């Protein structure tokens, strides 16, 4: 999955962003100073930079300007995070080279959507088409699932359910969240339907003494077990 560098000196915000981005499956690094971020970026370039405007050591707007002046980072996607909401400041941020601009306080789901949009537009090649965990492989292009090399035949709903869970191993989703993520907001389905399809998915995936990759969290929901191993 794509790697994202967060440069943000407000620790509660950087922790919140890191948690949500990692839950989406991204690899995340965090830095609190602009000058330290500049050194990190010279050593290892991420696929996306979330950059605060006001930073100690070196401002985000100056770091953005420097990155755009270098051939190796001139095309790196940058989303600017700032408390400056005036139109003139937004124009300044975009003119400096930011690909997008988010004003604090912002909605985390909206920021997640902006991150996905950046990757779809600028770096479609870094979005993995193959999800792998343990002995399970899911190919997003062919919609095929294999376990220990053997193809598993899933219905369309079971496939979407497995893909959704595998996209964030270890994250626990409530039945309501699974309904929204797999069936969609505009479709009315009873929450008990989730249990039925999880049961069908387990029946298809677990043969013989194979370990169950779907973890039930009592009172909370379901998760793809990131600790499961080949049975």
């Amino acid at each position: 999955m794509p790697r994202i560098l967060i440069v943000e000196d407000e620790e509660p915000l950087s922790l919140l962003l890191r948690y949500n981005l990692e839950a989406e499956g991204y690899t995340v690094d965090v830095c609190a100073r602009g000058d330290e971020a500049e050194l990190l970026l010279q050593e290892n370039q991420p696929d996306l930079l979330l950059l605060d405007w006001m930073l100690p050591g070196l401002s985000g707007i100056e770091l953005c300007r420097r990155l755009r002046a270098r051939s190796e980072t001139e095309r790196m996607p940058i989303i600017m995070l700032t408390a400056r909401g005036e139109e003139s400041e937004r124009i300044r941020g975009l003119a400096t080279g930011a690909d997008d601009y988010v004003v604090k306080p912002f909605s985390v789901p909206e920021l997640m959507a902006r991150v996905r949009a950046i990757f779809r537009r600028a770096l479609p090649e870094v979005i993995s088409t193959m999800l792998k965990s343990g002995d399970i492989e899911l190919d997003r292009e062919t919609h095929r699932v294999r376990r220990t090399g053997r193809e598993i035949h899933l219905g369309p709903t079971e496939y979407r359910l497995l893909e959704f869970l595998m996209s964030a191993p270890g994250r626990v989703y409530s039945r309501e969240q699974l309904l929204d993520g797999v069936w969609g907001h505009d479709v009315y389905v009873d929450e008990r339907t989730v249990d039925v399809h999880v049961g069908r998915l387990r029946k298809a995936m677990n043969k013989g003494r194979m370990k169950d990759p779907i973890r039930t969290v009592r009172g909370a929901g379901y998760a793809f077990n990131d600790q499961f191993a080949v049975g």
Side-chain angles (χ1 to χ4, degrees):
M1 289 296 288
R3 191 171 69 86
I4 298 173
L5 175 61
I6 301 171
V7 188
E8 169 61 64
D9 63 333
E10 295 180 33
E11 186 176 5
L13 178 56
S14 65
L15 289 174
L16 176 66
L17 293 175
R18 181 171 199 161
Y19 173 81
N20 282 274
L21 288 165
E22 288 182 338
E24 293 264 335
Y26 302 108
T27 300
V28 181
D29 297 313
V30 176
C31 181
R33 294 179 58 90
D35 49 357
E36 292 177 2
E38 185 175 28
L39 294 175
L40 286 174
L41 288 162
Q42 290 174 4
E43 298 172 358
N44 195 358
Q45 183 176 319
D47 297 301
L48 173 66
L49 180 63
L50 292 183
L51 181 61
D52 187 26
W53 182 302
M54 300 296 293
L55 291 167
L58 180 69
S59 71
I61 198 75
E62 175 60 20
L63 178 56
C64 181
R65 187 192 65 77
R66 294 183 185 184
L67 293 171
R68 288 298 181 243
R70 299 174 188 151
S71 59
E72 61 270 22
T73 54
E74 64 180 351
R75 295 184 181 275
M76 182 177 63
I78 298 174
I79 298 179
M80 190 76 72
L81 310 176
T82 178
R84 298 170 178 262
E86 297 85 0
E87 182 181 12
S88 60
E89 299 295 346
R90 292 199 301 272
I91 292 172
R92 182 184 172 196
L94 294 170
T96 304
D99 296 275
D100 204 348
Y101 191 103
V102 182
V103 179
K104 301 175 184 179
F106 51 80
S107 159
V108 173
E110 179 186 352
L111 178 61
M112 298 299 109
R114 288 174 181 261
V115 168
R116 288 191 294 270
I118 287 282
F119 282 131
R120 282 196 303 269
R121 181 173 67 249
L123 294 168
E125 70 278 5
V126 305
I127 301 298
S128 175
T129 60
M130 183 73 73
L131 297 179
K132 297 182 181 180
S133 186
D135 57 355
I136 297 175
E137 296 181 351
L138 183 148
D139 190 327
R140 286 169 155 164
E141 288 189 343
T142 64
H143 282 212
R144 288 183 173 178
V145 177
R146 292 182 175 85
R147 185 166 192 183
T148 61
R150 181 178 62 87
E151 187 165 353
I152 305 295
H153 299 284
L154 300 177
T157 301
E158 286 71 44
Y159 171 84
R160 293 197 305 272
L161 180 60
L162 179 63
E163 180 187 24
F164 188 80
L165 290 170
M166 284 186 72
S167 296
R171 177 172 178 176
V172 179
Y173 290 97
S174 68
R175 289 169 176 80
E176 182 179 359
Q177 288 173 323
L178 290 172
L179 285 174
D180 288 342
V182 177
W183 280 265
H185 295 277
D186 300 325
V187 178
Y188 175 76
V189 181
D190 190 276
E191 288 189 2
R192 288 173 294 182
T193 302
V194 174
D195 300 328
V196 172
H197 285 280
V198 168
R200 291 177 181 172
L201 177 59
R202 280 174 162 155
K203 184 177 180 180
M205 297 296 298
N206 305 330
K207 300 294 183 182
R209 300 179 64 182
M210 288 181 172
K211 292 186 178 180
D212 188 355
I214 309 300
R215 181 163 61 96
T216 300
V217 182
R218 189 177 299 276
Y222 297 100
F224 188 86
N225 191 353
D226 57 342
Q227 300 298 319
F228 101 98
V230 178

